[in-house]
Amino acid sequence: MDPDFAFNPDGLARAVELLGQHWNDTGVPPLPLDWPAAGLGSGAVLEQMAPLVLGGAGRLGQASAFAHMDPPTPWLSWAATLWNAALNQNLLHPATAPVARDIEARVVAWLAPFFGMNGGHLTPGSTVANLTALWAARECAGIQEVLASQSAHLSVQKAAHLLGLRFRGLPVDPSGALHADALDGDLSRSALVLTAGTTSTGAVDPLCLAGRAAWTHVDAAWAGPLRLSPTHALRLAGIEAADSVAVSAHKWLFQPKESALVLFRDSARAHAAVSFGGAYLAVPNVGVLGSHGAQAAPLMATLLAWGRAGLAARIDHCMALAQQWADVIERDARLVLRARPETGVVVWRPADSACFDLLLAHMPPGAVSVTVLDDIRWFRNVVANPNADVALLAGALARALDALANTSERR
Ligand SMILES: *Cc1c(COP(=O)(O)O)cnc(C)c1O
């Protein structure tokens, strides 16, 4: 037995120890220059790469991480991911993933009903979920064009491009949601993509439009998990009338990348439309991917560990943090809040646009991202991190604004 393929409890324990040791590193050592002809050995490389991989990483769970849709992940999901890497199951073949295929089916069966869907499968992200859904729409409903708001994610246009479908961008209202009377004409050859939680502002398109076109797909990549919260589920009311739904589990379901779901109202029909058989396949290959792994295992572990209530509590907490942050912005006359947050995305800017870059430079790392709306730059916060500390961020913002005031006095 080649020892590098054997179970090595000491090596793995050391890997975990190094993860802890470098948890708060900030510096990054240089990348190795050359690929040596003679290997350095696994133990040596563990020590060499820990400061690089761990030290150089963005810290998505730190108190100031408040800018992107990328959450920290629960430690249980790290454990399940380690098991996945060790076992390397391939869900393409039942023989290489006997249990993993059942785990995925069970997780989908748990989650699909929250969206009014009856099945689906995992994908590496909502980019692929959107592509898969529109592929099914083309096959099942004969659609020739894709309609989506101008605020829809670029993956929708990308999918239309790949599928040879025309893309038509529809106007949005001031909140960034699809304009309610933007739909007109014959939609019998159209797929309508509604976004539940736009990437830029977190707006929710009018989901009551679901069913108006030959196929309705809801891109709920970001805000979909609100359906699991009894407090917030109704913000996505109407989603159950869609034909398909995309949800990124590596966003608000706190999963390691790459993890998402594409769900269908009639999954048997949709899956049949996007399946291919082959001589060496015992079961048809469903969807875009060939070989793919057991991403449902960490998701199942998280769902079991937290229950619906525990998951909802994390999402509700993030939603509350967004409201608190919006209060901080709204109270300050030097700042402009674009709108009250609907789905955990807060968009704001300094009243004096000339201060934008200085303010940006004074905010803690990972605290804000930048988006452009109506040709003006705005700060954007996304509350994907349950550890975000609004009081700490408010303090940093107050100091940044004071620093700005001092700078302009000196000018
Ligand atoms: C993030 C996002 C996507 C793309 O999802 P990935 O998981 O990054 O592939 C699609 N649509 C919306 C609205 C998103 O926020």
Side-chain angles (χ1 to χ4, degrees):
M1 172 84 169
D2 181 334
D4 274 357
F5 290 90
F7 175 56
N8 183 335
D10 295 337
L12 291 168
R14 180 63 186 147
V16 172
E17 194 173 55
L18 286 164
L19 178 60
Q21 280 174 16
H22 294 280
W23 191 249
N24 291 313
D25 273 13
T26 46
V28 195
L31 291 169
L33 262 187
D34 300 311
W35 178 25
L40 309 175
S42 302
V45 169
L46 204 57
E47 305 296 326
Q48 182 185 321
M49 282 197 72
L52 177 66
V53 175
L54 306 171
R59 294 294 189 260
L60 305 178
Q62 72 187 4
S64 64
F66 208 50
H68 295 284
M69 293 182 164
D70 304 272
T73 49
W75 69 263
L76 180 62
S77 71
W78 315 347
T81 302
L82 174 64
W83 295 342
N84 274 350
L87 298 169
N88 204 25
Q89 303 290 283
N90 184 356
L91 278 73
L92 189 55
H93 309 289
T96 56
V99 178
R101 286 174 59 96
D102 293 342
I103 289 176
E104 174 165 326
R106 186 56 51 87
V107 166
V108 169
W110 286 345
L111 294 177
F114 287 97
F115 303 89
M117 304 290 113
N118 80 356
H121 60 270
L122 264 66
T123 68
S126 285
T127 298
V128 176
N130 288 342
L131 173 63
T132 312
L134 290 172
W135 180 19
R138 194 186 69 182
E139 303 306 312
C140 294
I143 62 139
Q144 292 168 353
E145 68 167 356
V146 175
L147 307 179
S149 95
Q150 281 150 0
S151 307
H153 192 263
L154 58 90
S155 59
V156 176
Q157 268 194 67
K158 201 191 283 183
H161 188 83
L162 285 167
L163 293 165
L165 302 168
R166 211 167 40 244
F167 176 83
R168 200 144 55 90
L170 302 174
V172 293
D173 68 17
S175 78
L178 175 66
H179 212 290
D181 34 62
L183 283 184
D184 54 6
D186 177 13
L187 303 178
S188 64
R189 286 277 176 266
S190 309
L192 172 63
V193 177
L194 300 170
T195 306
T198 58
T199 315
S200 218
T201 64
V204 179
D205 286 346
L207 299 179
C208 58
L209 296 177
R212 287 272 289 275
W215 186 282
T216 306
H217 173 64
V218 177
D219 178 359
W222 164 247
L226 289 176
R227 289 299 287 173
L228 307 171
S229 154
T231 313
H232 295 295
L234 286 179
R235 290 175 185 269
L236 270 51
I239 197 170
E240 60 284 352
D243 297 287
S244 54
V245 173
V247 182
S248 286
H250 56 215
K251 290 180 175 175
W252 237 354
L253 291 176
F254 308 102
Q255 289 305 294
K257 293 176 186 67
E258 293 135 348
S259 184
L261 299 111
V262 59
L263 303 171
F264 296 101
R265 189 144 53 104
D266 182 349
S267 59
R269 180 159 175 254
H271 278 177
V274 298
S275 291
F276 282 78
Y280 67 97
L281 287 175
V283 293
N285 176 201
V286 179
V288 174
L289 299 187
S291 298
H292 57 289
Q295 248 53 301
L299 180 52
M300 175 179 267
T302 307
L303 296 177
L304 284 172
W306 290 354
R308 183 187 173 188
L311 184 58
R314 266 89 180 184
I315 292 167
D316 290 356
H317 176 64
C318 289
M319 288 287 277
L321 292 177
Q323 293 300 333
Q324 290 164 25
W325 182 243
D327 291 342
V328 168
I329 305 296
E330 209 168 34
R331 273 200 301 267
D332 197 314
R334 296 166 291 182
L335 304 173
V336 179
L337 179 69
R338 193 158 195 275
R340 295 298 306 182
E342 274 185 87
T343 62
V345 181
V346 186
V347 179
W348 57 281
R349 63 178 173 81
D352 176 3
S353 301
C355 302
F356 194 94
D357 289 309
L358 258 180
L359 191 53
L360 180 59
H362 277 97
M363 290 300 285
V368 291
S369 50
V370 176
T371 188
V372 176
L373 298 160
D374 313 322
D375 297 326
I376 344 181
R377 284 188 304 165
W378 296 79
F379 291 120
R380 164 179 172 268
N381 300 101
V382 182
V383 190
N385 171 21
N387 305 324
D389 184 338
V390 166
L392 176 139
L393 287 157
L397 176 59
R399 282 191 300 281
L401 287 165
D402 290 346
L404 240 61
N406 293 336
T407 315
S408 55
E409 269 161 32
R410 279 202 302 274
R411 266 207 303 255

mmCIF file of all heavy atoms in Angstrom, residues 265-266 334 369:
data_model
loop_
_atom_site.group_PDB
_atom_site.id
_atom_site.type_symbol
_atom_site.label_atom_id
_atom_site.label_comp_id
_atom_site.label_asym_id
_atom_site.label_seq_id
_atom_site.Cartn_x
_atom_site.Cartn_y
_atom_site.Cartn_z
ATOM 1 N N ARG A 265 -40.664 21.987 -10.524
ATOM 2 C CA ARG A 265 -42.026 21.651 -10.091
ATOM 3 C C ARG A 265 -42.369 20.235 -10.541
ATOM 4 O O ARG A 265 -42.956 19.475 -9.808
ATOM 5 C CB ARG A 265 -43.022 22.664 -10.671
ATOM 6 C CG ARG A 265 -44.419 22.519 -10.106
ATOM 7 C CD ARG A 265 -45.078 23.858 -9.955
ATOM 8 N NE ARG A 265 -45.015 24.579 -11.223
ATOM 9 C CZ ARG A 265 -46.049 24.718 -12.049
ATOM 10 N NH1 ARG A 265 -47.209 24.223 -11.738
ATOM 11 N NH2 ARG A 265 -45.912 25.398 -13.173
ATOM 12 N N ASP A 266 -41.973 19.885 -11.765
ATOM 13 C CA ASP A 266 -42.168 18.517 -12.266
ATOM 14 C C ASP A 266 -40.778 17.974 -12.589
ATOM 15 O O ASP A 266 -40.296 18.063 -13.715
ATOM 16 C CB ASP A 266 -43.071 18.549 -13.514
ATOM 17 C CG ASP A 266 -43.349 17.144 -14.060
ATOM 18 O OD1 ASP A 266 -42.677 16.188 -13.612
ATOM 19 O OD2 ASP A 266 -44.231 17.027 -14.921
ATOM 20 N N ARG A 334 -24.794 62.444 7.228
ATOM 21 C CA ARG A 334 -23.723 62.470 6.220
ATOM 22 C C ARG A 334 -23.842 61.321 5.235
ATOM 23 O O ARG A 334 -23.063 61.227 4.293
ATOM 24 C CB ARG A 334 -22.359 62.412 6.931
ATOM 25 C CG ARG A 334 -22.087 63.623 7.812
ATOM 26 C CD ARG A 334 -20.924 63.376 8.745
ATOM 27 N NE ARG A 334 -21.245 62.383 9.770
ATOM 28 C CZ ARG A 334 -20.418 61.993 10.740
ATOM 29 N NH1 ARG A 334 -19.201 62.504 10.807
ATOM 30 N NH2 ARG A 334 -20.795 61.102 11.623
ATOM 31 N N SER A 369 -18.504 46.296 -0.049
ATOM 32 C CA SER A 369 -18.204 46.138 -1.467
ATOM 33 C C SER A 369 -18.814 47.343 -2.179
ATOM 34 O O SER A 369 -19.516 48.147 -1.552
ATOM 35 C CB SER A 369 -18.764 44.825 -2.005
ATOM 36 O OG SER A 369 -20.122 44.671 -1.645
#
